[in-house]
Amino acid sequence: MARGITGSRGSRPTIASPLHKEIYDLETGECFTNPELRLAIYATRLVDGYIEVAV
């Protein structure tokens, strides 16, 4: 997803894979175009201008 295209479906933020033509919900990791696929999601927060990712 390094070259994914960000966007939205309604109020839900998304990322799309231009190679595979799949669109994922950034909050849940669900794939809109293929329900069998899912992205891993991680909690994030903004601290003093830095984005921290829980892994």
Side-chain angles (χ1 to χ4, degrees), residues 23-47:
I23 302 170
Y24 295 89
D25 185 312
L26 283 175
E27 293 178 353
T28 65
E30 294 175 80
C31 182
F32 288 109
T33 52
N34 184 344
E36 295 178 8
L37 300 176
R38 185 175 210 84
L39 292 177
I41 58 170
Y42 301 92
T44 60
R45 66 181 182 177
L46 185 61
V47 177

